[in-house]
């Protein structure tokens, strides 16, 4: 019996010390993934980083055991952010890197994410080969004298910061910032980076703790009420910065304490980059990459500037692959991940923080002023617990399409386009709605946008939910 161990963002499951099911993440599973990866690499050097989750330690030791058993040299970084791990390979002359994390998931989850030396996550084809070796137990056989070695690297945060500060230069002594790392692995590197720029900082939830006592790890609106209140009552702070558990996501709050929509910020940064560098940009460079669930304001703002928007499946790896294959200067997702190809192909919140603050300093404007030129389209999203692990195949998509055609007919709206790149996206006059299964947790996600009003978007989402309940996909 074969197992599909990889999802949208590597492997991610609830930790258990022993289980006969691949639905849980056990040290035994980590050992065998290490054996499979080591076999795939045929030896070589692998860098390993971990986040602050309590289950990261047994998973790390098991993974290292599998890798060195196949002759790999392992370099451990200890607790680091995912961006730091993603950029580390090229400095450490590694053949691959592994981050042990469950990103923004709740504390009981743990997982692995695999990276190429370029900072690009493993492609679906690479993951399929690892999966094949794992399922067939076709592990390389090594002799006692072929076992690999393990060394520890202590200064990788300093290397990451130096790489950024050498290329993004400004004096931030006039800025006041509140940082909320959410008790995650960004607790050390982000304040350290801001100090290098002479920025005045205040931190909350800045003690590393894998139980996430300060707030839930995902930097969502409901989880960022504390930092929002601080900004609203404080006359000094100019901006808020919030991260998830492994700091691959970053959410900004403006000087009024309002959460900045990541796609509006992506659009703003792309627009300013084009305006400042248009003469230097080739046609191949004039592209940004974003998934199918991102706002259409990207096209509305950037297409008139001559910039193409590359649409992908959901997931930062898909965004990065599009940038690598087709060119482009920036990528991003609705979740708050941003990719800067000139640095590396991994999502990097640390670079993004420096870029946003440099933009504020160079413009002489605060973030809310800068965003005035970027439209705000009404957007609404919900997630619903799946009744069972339903495969979202051609048959399921067909059922969803038939159901949604009835919804649009009842509302007197015409479907202009149906896109099945990832789930089912329905574009209609004035907006769109997307229905897709989450790639990282057992949920159905329904999101939609209108360039007219929020009420119509919410109404359409609610009707879609009713149809999904009738199809017996989600709970009431």
């Amino acid at each position: 019996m074969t197992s599909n161990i990889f999802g949208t963002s590597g492997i991610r499951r609830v930790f258990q010390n022993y289980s006969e099911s691949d639905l849980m993440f056990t040290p035994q599973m980590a050992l065998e993934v290490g054996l499979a990866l080591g076999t795939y690499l045929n030896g070589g050097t692998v860098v390993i980083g971990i986040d602050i989750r309590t289950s990261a330690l047994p998973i790390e030791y098991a993974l290292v055991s599998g890798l060195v058993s196949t002759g790999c040299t392992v370099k451990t970084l200890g607790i680091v952010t995912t961006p730091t791990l993603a950029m580390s390979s090229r400095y450490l002359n590694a053949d691959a890197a592994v981050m042990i994390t469950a990103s923004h998931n709740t504390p009981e989850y743990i997982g692995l994410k695999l990276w190429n030396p370029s900072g690009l996550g493993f492609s679906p084809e690479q993951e399929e080969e690892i999966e094949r070796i794992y399922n067939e137990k076709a592990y390389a056989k090594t002799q006692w004298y072929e076992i690999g070695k393990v060394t520890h690297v202590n200064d990788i945060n300093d290397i990451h910061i130096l790489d950024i500060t050498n290329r993004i230069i400004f004096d931030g002594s006039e800025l006041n910032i509140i940082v909320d790392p959410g008790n995650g692995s960004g607790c050390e590197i982000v304040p350290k980076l801001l100090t290098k720029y002479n920025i005045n900082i205040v931190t909350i939830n800045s003690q590393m703790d894998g139980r996430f006592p300060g707030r839930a790890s995902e930097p969502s609106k409901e989880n960022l009420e504390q930092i929002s209140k601080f900004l609203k009552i404080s006359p000094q702070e100019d901006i808020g910065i919030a991260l998830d558990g492994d700091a691959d996501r970053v959410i900004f709050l403006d000087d009024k304490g309002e959460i900045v929509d990541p796609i509006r910020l992506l659009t703003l940064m792309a627009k300013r980059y084009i305006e400042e560098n248009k003469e230097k940009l080739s046609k191949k460079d004039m592209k940004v990459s974003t998934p199918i669930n991102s706002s259409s304001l990207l096209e509305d703002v950037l297409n008139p500037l001559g910039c193409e928007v590359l649409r992908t499946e959901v997931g930062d790896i898909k965004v990065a692959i599009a940038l690598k294959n087709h060119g482009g200067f920036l990528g991003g997702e609705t979740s708050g991940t941003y990719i800067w190809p000139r640095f590396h192909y991994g999502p990097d919140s640390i670079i993004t923080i420096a870029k946003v603050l440099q933009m504020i300093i160079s413009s002489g404007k605060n973030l809310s002023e800068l965003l005035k030129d970027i439209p705000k389209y009404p957007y609404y999203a919900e997630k619903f617990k799946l009744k069972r692990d339903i495969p979202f195949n051609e048959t399921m998509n067909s059922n969803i399409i038939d159901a949604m055609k009835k919804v649009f007919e009842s509302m007197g709206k015409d479907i202009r386009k149906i896109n099945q790149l990832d789930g089912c996206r329905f574009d209609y006059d004035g907006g769109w709605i997307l229905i897709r299964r989450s790639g990282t947790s057992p949920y159905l996600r329904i999101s939609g946008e209108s360039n007219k009003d929020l009420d119509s978007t919410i109404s359409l989402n609610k009707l879609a939910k009713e149809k999904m309940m009738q199809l017996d996909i989600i709970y009431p």
Side-chain angles (χ1 to χ4, degrees):
M1 183 175 178
T2 60
S3 300
N4 297 316
I5 58 175
F6 289 98
T8 301
S9 188
I11 305 169
R12 202 174 297 179
R13 286 169 170 71
V14 172
F15 174 83
Q16 200 168 79
N17 66 332
Y18 175 78
S19 174
E20 305 227 346
S21 168
D22 270 344
L23 296 175
M24 299 293 181
F25 203 132
T26 65
Q28 176 66 30
M29 183 179 182
L31 170 70
E32 296 197 34
V33 171
L35 289 168
L37 177 58
T39 301
Y40 171 78
L41 295 172
N42 192 27
T45 299
V46 181
V47 179
I48 296 178
I50 65 173
D51 74 5
I52 40 68
R53 291 168 186 270
T54 57
S55 55
L57 194 61
I59 296 299
E60 179 186 26
Y61 284 173
L63 178 69
V64 169
S65 180
L67 288 167
V68 297
S69 294
T70 56
C72 288
T73 295
V74 174
K75 296 181 179 181
T76 60
L77 305 181
I79 296 174
V80 293
T81 67
T82 289
T84 305
L85 183 279
M87 61 73 62
S88 68
S89 293
R90 72 177 188 270
Y91 284 100
L92 300 175
N93 297 316
D95 300 289
V98 183
M99 185 67 192
I100 300 173
T101 180
S103 190
H104 59 281
N105 283 53
T106 47
E108 69 273 19
Y109 279 84
I110 194 66
L112 302 177
K113 197 166 181 181
L114 281 55
W115 304 88
N116 289 291
S118 64
L120 182 69
F122 267 34
S123 68
E125 293 75 22
Q126 287 177 297
E127 290 180 342
E128 285 171 11
E129 181 59 15
I130 302 294
E131 210 163 67
R132 182 194 67 77
I133 296 169
Y134 175 91
N135 284 318
E136 294 177 5
K137 311 298 180 192
Y139 308 132
K141 293 180 173 59
T142 53
Q143 302 298 318
W144 62 269
Y145 51 83
E146 297 173 310
I147 302 300
K149 296 180 179 180
V150 182
T151 58
H152 185 73
V153 179
N154 291 307
D155 60 349
I156 197 65
N157 278 353
D158 293 333
I159 292 172
H160 194 182
I161 290 172
L162 186 63
D163 184 46
I164 294 169
T165 55
N166 280 344
R167 295 201 251 178
I168 304 173
I169 301 169
F170 65 93
D171 177 17
S173 55
E174 295 181 2
L175 289 175
N176 299 289
I177 295 178
I178 294 181
V179 181
D180 179 1
N183 302 116
S185 52
C187 287
E188 178 188 336
I189 190 170
V190 174
K192 196 170 184 178
L193 171 77
L194 298 180
T195 300
K196 294 288 185 182
Y197 284 119
N198 301 315
I199 293 167
N200 305 304
I201 63 171
V202 174
T203 61
I204 58 174
N205 302 319
S206 59
Q207 298 78 35
M208 292 187 188
D209 191 327
R211 295 172 179 84
F212 305 117
R215 62 164 170 85
S217 179
E218 185 175 6
S220 60
K221 182 178 180 179
E222 57 269 25
N223 294 333
L224 299 183
E225 290 182 358
Q226 184 183 28
I227 186 173
S228 178
K229 287 178 181 177
F230 273 126
L231 283 160
K232 286 176 180 177
I233 64 174
S234 173
Q236 296 181 327
E237 272 60 51
D238 298 317
I239 191 171
I241 298 171
L243 302 133
D244 69 340
D246 66 330
D248 64 343
R249 297 183 175 191
V250 59
I251 297 295
F252 293 86
L253 295 91
D254 66 20
D255 44 291
K256 298 177 182 178
E258 300 297 326
I259 292 173
V260 176
D261 171 31
I263 299 304
R264 287 187 75 215
L265 184 60
L266 177 70
T267 307
L268 172 64
M269 291 191 292
K271 180 176 182 288
R272 287 186 64 87
Y273 186 85
I274 292 168
E275 290 170 347
E276 293 170 2
N277 299 278
K278 192 162 188 178
E279 301 303 320
K280 304 175 187 175
L281 290 170
S282 67
K283 187 175 180 180
K284 185 175 181 181
D285 289 330
M286 283 284 278
K287 296 172 186 175
V288 297
S289 177
T290 196
I292 192 173
N293 64 339
S294 295
S295 174
S296 55
L297 77 86
L298 279 160
E299 282 88 353
D300 292 349
V301 173
L302 300 181
N303 284 171
L305 299 176
C307 181
E308 180 184 355
V309 178
L310 304 170
R311 291 285 177 171
T312 73
E313 296 172 59
V314 175
D316 59 80
I317 291 175
K318 305 292 187 182
V319 173
I321 289 173
L323 289 168
K324 187 167 178 40
N325 290 344
H326 303 292
F329 62 89
L330 179 60
E333 293 188 286
T334 60
S335 60
T337 58
Y338 302 89
I339 297 169
W340 303 89
R342 292 181 184 275
F343 285 81
H344 62 89
Y345 284 98
D348 200 315
S349 63
I350 319 301
I351 295 170
T352 305
I353 289 169
K355 287 279 191 180
V356 170
L357 300 183
Q358 183 192 47
M359 178 175 64
I360 291 171
I361 291 294
S362 65
S363 69
K365 299 178 180 179
N366 58 39
L367 197 49
S368 60
E369 289 175 318
L370 286 167
L371 285 162
K372 285 180 180 178
D373 293 334
I374 307 300
K376 184 185 287 187
Y377 292 169
Y379 177 86
Y380 188 76
E382 285 189 284
K383 65 179 183 179
F384 306 96
K385 186 82 171 177
L386 289 168
K387 280 194 170 184
R388 55 192 182 280
D389 193 14
I390 304 167
F392 274 65
N393 51 24
E394 189 174 332
T395 300
M396 179 55 69
N397 280 358
S398 178
N399 291 338
I400 291 172
I401 289 169
D402 289 342
M404 289 303 296
K405 282 180 177 178
K406 294 176 183 176
V407 168
F408 280 101
E409 186 178 336
S410 70
M411 296 182 73
K413 295 181 182 292
D414 293 326
I415 299 172
R416 289 168 44 204
K417 181 181 178 182
I418 299 175
N419 189 325
Q420 297 183 60
L421 179 65
D422 189 347
C424 297
R425 172 168 160 158
F426 303 86
D427 286 83
Y428 61 95
D429 186 26
W432 56 267
I433 184 170
L434 173 68
I435 301 171
R436 61 176 290 273
R437 188 198 189 286
S438 169
T440 58
S441 51
Y443 287 94
L444 181 77
R445 298 186 184 274
I446 302 178
S447 56
E449 176 184 83
S450 168
N451 56 18
K452 295 180 180 177
D453 63 89
L454 183 59
D455 288 342
S456 63
T457 304
I458 294 174
S459 297
L460 182 55
N461 279 31
K462 286 183 176 179
L463 288 172
K465 175 190 173 184
E466 291 173 8
K467 288 296 182 182
M468 296 310 104
M469 288 168 57
Q470 290 173 15
L471 292 175
D472 202 34
I473 296 175
I474 57 175
Y475 290 104

